[in-house]
Amino acid sequence: MPKGKKKGRTDRNRGEGSLQTSDDDSYPNDNLSVASNVSEHFSVEDTNEVDDFAQDQLEEKLAELIDGLAQKSSQGRTNCFKNLTAALVKKYMPLFIRERTFTLCDCIERSVKKGGPEEKGAAADLATVMCVQLGTDPIGENIYAALKPILLATALDNSAAPNVRAQCCLALGNMTFLSSSDLGENLLLMRQLETIFSGSYLKGDGSVPNTSPENGAMHAAALNAWSLLFTLMVPGNIGTMINNSKSLPDLSRLSELLESAHLEVRLAAGEALALIYEIGREESDEFEDEFADSLIGILKQLATDSHKYRAKKERKQQRATFRDILLYIEDIVTTDVQVKFGKEVLLLDTWVKRKQYEALCNFLGPSINNHLVENDVIKDLFQIEASVDELRVPAHAQHQMEKNRKRILNAANDKARTLSRAKNRDKRSDF
């Protein structure tokens, strides 16, 4: 006979309680009455209290992360930077940042100066998300003015790691695009960014420079930041600035980047040329037509590239991108892209809008839809009206409210069920 605890009478009753029938088994009806009472007294105010409580909890956790930015461990600071950035990417919280601007800027500046490569990149990302939250708000401009010098110094530092310089270039481009309104400063930054991606220009003998993949990624990041700032240019003297001044690189130099060995550089160069022609043709229908004729041949080769020494995925991406660029340069036709969020549709019908959306999407990822609904900076950028009910009450917020309501009801029902079962178990034991 196997050893073990012998079942007592009460244990047998508990194990077989579901098979017995008695007057005491009427307790499920008591549960139903309790549940109905709970549902009658439940209101939307309860959901609002839950939301407020969740908001307070989130702010407490973010405050703890901010305190963690001053710890001694470099990896600990890096993790705090990453977690804080991830939270602010997902949720629009400008008031929270306004109250802690000085502390955040001080931590970012210290980490970019003295931290390791991973910590510097994480700090640069947090600087970007702060400007995404505040934009051209006076405090946002103060953040940009405070952090730009240290980020620019790191981006231009040849002794820094290429991936860190690349992240600083992207941060500078995004922050300037969102928080700066000075055209002179933007042009100066564009010239400084050109000194970085000029490393991918052809050599004096016309040969392609031999750059490492890390340096290629850095040059592509600097060129993408340059292109994003170029979208802020106003038509009027683009042709003069390209051909007769040192403010902007001429088209022949930019077209040399199409021969780079790195896909990222080729794609960034193609998008930059498309942007230049789009804005330039707004001031003159015949903008650089002669150069366009020679450029079309290069674009056709890239749009039909079938070299086997390149990865299949790379060839596919290159052909798809350069087909759109060729279509615009040759026939002035732009492929429309529609972005759906909630019940609204954002139409990207120009290269300027596509570049701006791509820059934000690369940083915000799937959370771009939340910012299109809630973020005033991005709504103003893409001229999204805020009068629609769905924009005032986002779909994800409605979904969260419904989840909270169900959770409260389930908790109340579970508590009532537990109390009733405990009561009836006591009765059966006495019996």
Side-chain angles (χ1 to χ4, degrees):
M1 180 175 180
K3 295 182 180 181
K5 183 180 178 181
K6 185 176 180 181
K7 279 191 176 181
R9 181 172 298 175
T10 31
D11 291 331
R12 286 198 297 270
N13 288 339
R14 289 178 184 175
E16 301 170 359
S18 61
L19 301 177
Q20 296 177 354
T21 57
S22 67
D23 294 337
D24 293 336
D25 291 334
S26 60
Y27 64 86
N29 295 329
D30 297 334
N31 286 345
L32 292 177
S33 62
V34 172
S36 63
N37 292 334
V38 173
S39 61
E40 288 175 1
H41 293 289
F42 185 80
S43 65
V44 178
E45 294 179 359
D46 297 327
T47 303
N48 293 335
E49 291 178 2
V50 172
D51 291 342
D52 293 339
F53 179 70
Q55 180 72 14
D56 292 340
Q57 277 191 323
L58 176 61
E59 291 186 359
E60 288 179 4
K61 291 181 179 179
L62 294 182
E64 291 177 2
L65 291 175
I66 293 176
D67 293 339
L69 298 179
Q71 62 183 288
K72 293 183 178 180
S73 170
S74 176
Q75 187 59 49
R77 293 194 302 269
T78 302
N79 293 336
C80 289
F81 273 120
K82 290 182 177 180
N83 293 332
L84 187 58
T85 300
L88 295 177
V89 161
K90 293 180 180 179
K91 193 166 181 65
Y92 181 53
M93 302 177 65
L95 294 177
F96 179 83
I97 296 178
R98 284 193 184 98
E99 296 172 354
R100 299 162 177 83
T101 300
F102 179 80
T103 302
L104 289 171
C105 288
D106 183 61
C107 292
I108 291 172
E109 184 175 358
R110 185 168 58 250
S111 293
V112 173
K113 281 183 178 179
K114 301 180 180 179
E118 188 178 5
E119 182 181 349
K120 289 181 178 180
D125 288 342
L126 181 58
T128 302
V129 79
M130 291 173 65
C131 289
V132 170
Q133 296 268 351
L134 297 176
T136 54
D137 183 281
I139 298 180
E141 294 181 352
N142 293 339
I143 293 173
Y144 169 72
L147 297 179
K148 177 187 174 183
I150 183 63
L151 290 172
L152 182 59
T154 305
L156 298 176
D157 184 5
N158 292 327
S159 63
N163 62 326
V164 173
R165 297 178 64 189
Q167 287 178 285
C168 289
C169 288
L170 293 175
L172 282 169
N174 290 324
M175 293 172 64
T176 306
F177 170 69
L178 292 166
S179 303
S180 176
S181 56
D182 191 330
L183 180 59
E185 287 189 7
N186 294 354
L187 287 173
L188 177 60
L189 178 58
M190 291 172 70
R191 287 200 294 269
Q192 291 167 328
L193 289 172
E194 186 192 358
T195 62
I196 298 176
F197 66 77
S198 62
S200 286
Y201 287 158
L202 297 181
K203 296 181 180 179
D205 57 357
S207 61
V208 178
N210 185 17
T211 56
S212 65
E214 292 78 13
N215 285 329
M218 178 184 65
H219 296 165
L223 183 53
N224 280 320
W226 184 94
S227 299
L228 181 61
L229 296 181
F230 188 84
T231 63
L232 301 175
M233 300 290 293
V234 179
N237 57 352
I238 300 296
T240 302
M241 295 176 69
I242 288 178
N243 295 319
N244 302 323
S245 71
K246 296 182 179 180
S247 299
L248 299 174
D250 57 41
L251 295 179
S252 60
R253 294 296 277 172
L254 286 176
S255 63
E256 293 177 1
L257 301 177
L258 297 174
E259 301 182 36
S260 172
H262 305 290
L263 175 66
E264 299 94 335
V265 177
R266 296 196 299 272
L267 295 179
E271 291 178 352
L273 290 169
L275 286 169
I276 293 174
Y277 268 94
E278 182 176 74
I279 297 178
R281 283 170 174 169
E282 292 183 18
E283 64 184 46
S284 174
D285 294 337
E286 300 178 353
F287 176 80
E288 295 293 334
D289 281 345
E290 294 183 2
F291 185 79
D293 293 337
S294 60
L295 182 62
I296 287 173
I298 302 175
L299 296 177
K300 284 183 177 179
Q301 293 178 1
L302 294 170
T304 58
D305 186 7
S306 60
H307 292 300
K308 298 299 182 182
Y309 60 82
R310 287 177 180 156
K312 184 177 180 180
K313 184 178 179 180
E314 284 191 7
R315 295 200 306 268
K316 184 177 180 180
Q317 184 180 1
Q318 175 178 296
R319 288 197 295 262
T321 302
F322 279 99
R323 277 198 297 266
D324 291 343
I325 297 172
L326 176 63
L327 187 63
Y328 179 76
I329 300 293
E330 190 173 21
D331 300 326
I332 317 181
V333 176
T334 306
T335 304
D336 294 344
V337 178
Q338 293 185 348
V339 179
K340 295 183 180 180
F341 59 100
K343 295 184 179 180
E344 299 296 310
V345 177
L346 174 63
L347 180 63
L348 306 177
D349 55 352
T350 65
W351 280 97
V352 169
K353 289 183 179 179
R354 287 177 62 171
K355 185 62 184 178
Q356 293 173 350
Y357 178 81
E358 177 190 353
L360 293 172
C361 196
N362 286 340
F363 183 76
L364 297 175
S367 300
I368 183 68
N369 287 348
N370 298 340
H371 286 270
L372 288 172
V373 172
E374 301 174 359
N375 193 320
D376 295 331
V377 178
I378 296 180
K379 287 194 294 186
D380 291 342
L381 177 64
F382 293 109
Q383 299 178 352
I384 298 174
E385 297 293 337
S387 59
V388 183
D389 292 339
E390 288 77 5
L391 294 180
R392 289 200 298 266
V393 183
H396 71 88
Q398 295 177 354
H399 178 65
Q400 187 63 35
M401 290 171 62
E402 182 66 19
K403 285 177 63 178
N404 290 333
R405 185 183 71 83
K406 290 181 179 179
R407 184 172 59 80
I408 292 175
L409 283 175
N410 291 336
N413 292 342
D414 184 64
K415 182 177 180 180
R417 188 183 306 113
T418 302
L419 291 175
S420 179
R421 286 179 175 175
K423 179 180 178 181
N424 283 278
R425 286 188 185 117
D426 292 341
K427 287 182 179 180
R428 287 196 299 272
S429 298
D430 296 339
F431 178 75

